[in-house]
């Protein structure tokens, strides 16, 4: 569970998204609060997740039910070579990077698109007055405590996970959710209903509901702690001082140049991916890895194929 928290809340691409859309203070809060949340979670799990429940969850997990992109998760995509320099320069490394690049995007693209669409719909359709009442904007003292409790509740029903919830977090911030509430919402990507259902599928209903309650408690408490820390350090951002990148006019500047450079790099990686049999592999990523390593051998074959180019 600590790995699950870290892999969704302490990842590089999440920090980049927060910096671009919301500013460096939110990215800093995410990375300060993440370890706090993990420590709280470990304590809560040790106190409230009984050994009998762990055994039941493990028995359910060992049934071998399939998950999304399971083939990618189990695949050995390392390049071969005697030294790191040889591996870095090998054609197989180029192929490996291209496959990881495309498959990672395939895993999160739906969440990102859903997050952008949902944030746009909420910004356009939900009246600001509703959010101001729900977030207790007119009662600053209460809003300070309510925000970290409300943030995960919004996340619970938003169906948006990881990087995809950043655009929606920016909308909620503009609508009056407190700083701690926004951080709690960002932490709340592991209690959205689809992930609760995944936990139910892998670990059973009792374990899933217990995790939901403990996750919620750790998220809210960590977010409240982050807000206190940032208040003490005078690092709280001002809502009126933040503008989302999507509201900016087109400018020919360093951002434009970097966009062009990385779009070109992405195009090169996509070309390598499809020329080395990646499309066929992608169709099988929701299948289990055979015990004889069938997919692994297939991927190794693709490395050889890539080396031929």
């Amino acid at each position: 569970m600590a790995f699950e928290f870290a892999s969704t809340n302490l990842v590089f691409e999440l920090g980049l998204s927060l910096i671009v859309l919301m500013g460096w203070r939110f990215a800093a809060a995410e990375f300060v609060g993440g370890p706090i949340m993990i420590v709280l979670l470990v304590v809560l799990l040790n106190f409230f997740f009984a050994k009998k429940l762990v055994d039941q969850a493990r028995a359910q997990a060992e049934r071998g039910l399939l998950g999304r992109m399971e083939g990618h998760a189990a695949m050995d995509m390392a390049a071969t070579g005697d030294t790191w320099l040889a591996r870095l320069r090998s054609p197989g490394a180029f192929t490996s990077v291209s496959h990881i690049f495309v498959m990672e995007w395939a895993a999160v693209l739906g969440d990102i698109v859903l997050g952008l669409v949902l944030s746009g719909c909420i910004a356009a359709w939900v009246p600001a007055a509703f959010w101001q009442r729900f977030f207790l904007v007119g009662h600053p003292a209460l809003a300070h405590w309510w925000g970290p409790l409300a943030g995960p509740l919004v996340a619970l029903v938003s169906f948006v996970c990881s990087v995809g919830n950043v655009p929606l977090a920016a909308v909620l911030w503009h609508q009056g959710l407190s700083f701690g509430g926004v951080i709690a919402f960002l932490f709340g990507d592991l209690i959205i209903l689809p992930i609760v259902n995944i936990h139910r599928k892998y670990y059973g209903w009792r374990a899933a509901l217990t995790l939901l309650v403990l996750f919620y408690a750790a998220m809210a408490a960590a977010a409240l702690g982050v807000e206190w820390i940032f208040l003490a350090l005078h690092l709280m951002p001002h809502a009126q001082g933040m503008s989302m990148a999507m509201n900016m006019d087109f400018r020919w500047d360093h951002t434009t140049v970097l966009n062009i450079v990385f779009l070109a790099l992405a195009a090169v990686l996509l070309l390598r991916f499809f020329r080395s049999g990646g499309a066929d592999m992608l169709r099988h990523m929701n299948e289990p890895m055979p015990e004889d390593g069938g997919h692994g051998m297939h991927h190794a074959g693709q490395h050889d194929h890539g080396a031929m180019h």
Side-chain angles (χ1 to χ4, degrees):
M1 293 300 106
F3 171 80
E4 188 173 11
F5 265 50
S7 63
T8 54
N9 292 285
L10 296 175
V11 291
F12 184 66
E13 62 267 27
L14 178 59
L16 286 179
S17 298
L18 284 169
I19 291 171
V20 170
L21 288 181
M22 304 188 70
W24 68 267
R25 286 180 173 85
F26 285 92
E30 179 80 14
F31 287 104
V32 169
I36 296 174
M37 181 171 57
I38 290 171
V39 170
L40 290 173
L41 177 67
V42 170
V43 172
L44 290 171
L45 285 172
N46 277 280
F47 270 97
F48 297 105
F49 209 92
K51 183 180 183 302
K52 180 179 180 181
L53 191 55
V54 174
D55 293 338
Q56 291 174 355
R58 181 175 288 110
Q60 175 70 12
E62 289 175 349
R63 293 178 58 191
L65 301 177
L66 300 183
R68 182 180 174 190
M69 296 296 285
E70 188 156 325
H72 174 41
M75 208 173 258
D76 180 8
M77 305 189 82
T80 57
D82 295 333
T83 65
W84 70 268
L85 185 59
R87 291 193 293 272
L88 183 65
R89 298 173 59 184
S90 69
F94 184 22
T95 301
S96 225
V97 169
S98 71
H99 284 211
I100 292 172
F101 172 77
V102 174
M103 291 178 188
E104 291 291 340
W105 266 108
V108 302
L109 186 60
D111 293 327
I112 294 175
V113 172
L114 181 61
L116 291 170
V117 172
L118 187 60
S119 62
C121 292
I122 288 176
W125 296 340
V126 180
F130 168 81
W131 293 117
Q132 290 171 1
R133 287 194 297 268
F134 182 69
F135 297 146
L136 304 179
V137 174
H139 307 277
L142 288 175
H144 173 76
W145 293 94
W146 170 241
L149 297 173
L153 295 178
V154 178
L156 178 66
V157 297
S158 70
F159 285 74
V160 186
C161 183
S162 192
V163 183
N165 65 5
V166 176
L168 183 53
V171 171
L172 297 175
W173 172 245
H174 278 294
Q175 299 293 356
L177 182 59
S178 69
F179 181 67
V182 172
I183 299 305
F185 170 79
L186 291 168
F187 288 159
D189 57 358
L190 284 178
I191 61 171
I192 64 173
L193 294 178
I195 290 186
V196 172
N197 185 53
I198 290 172
H199 287 158
R200 188 271 313 166
K201 177 180 178 181
Y202 280 126
Y203 307 129
W205 270 114
R206 285 189 60 197
L209 293 176
T210 304
L211 288 175
L212 172 63
V213 173
L214 298 183
F215 280 15
Y216 177 82
M219 292 163 181
L224 186 60
V226 168
E227 186 161 1
W228 286 343
I229 292 170
F230 275 59
L231 274 172
L233 297 176
H234 304 287
L235 291 176
M236 292 286 288
H238 300 288
Q240 62 272 22
M242 187 196 75
S243 61
M244 291 180 64
M246 62 183 69
N247 292 330
M248 296 172 58
D249 296 329
F250 175 80
R251 300 175 184 176
W252 184 263
D253 55 15
H254 66 282
T255 301
T256 308
V257 174
L258 288 173
N259 284 339
I260 294 172
V261 170
F262 283 99
L263 281 172
L265 178 59
V268 171
L269 292 172
L270 278 169
L271 180 63
R272 183 67 168 192
F273 175 79
F274 286 109
R275 291 187 64 185
S276 57
D280 182 60
M281 291 178 57
L282 196 57
R283 284 192 289 268
H284 298 286
M285 284 301 98
N286 291 331
E287 298 177 3
M289 285 288 290
E291 293 183 2
D292 61 358
H295 275 307
M297 294 299 292
H298 177 64
H299 188 68
Q302 298 302 337
H303 277 188
D304 295 338
H305 177 64
M308 293 173 64
H309 291 283

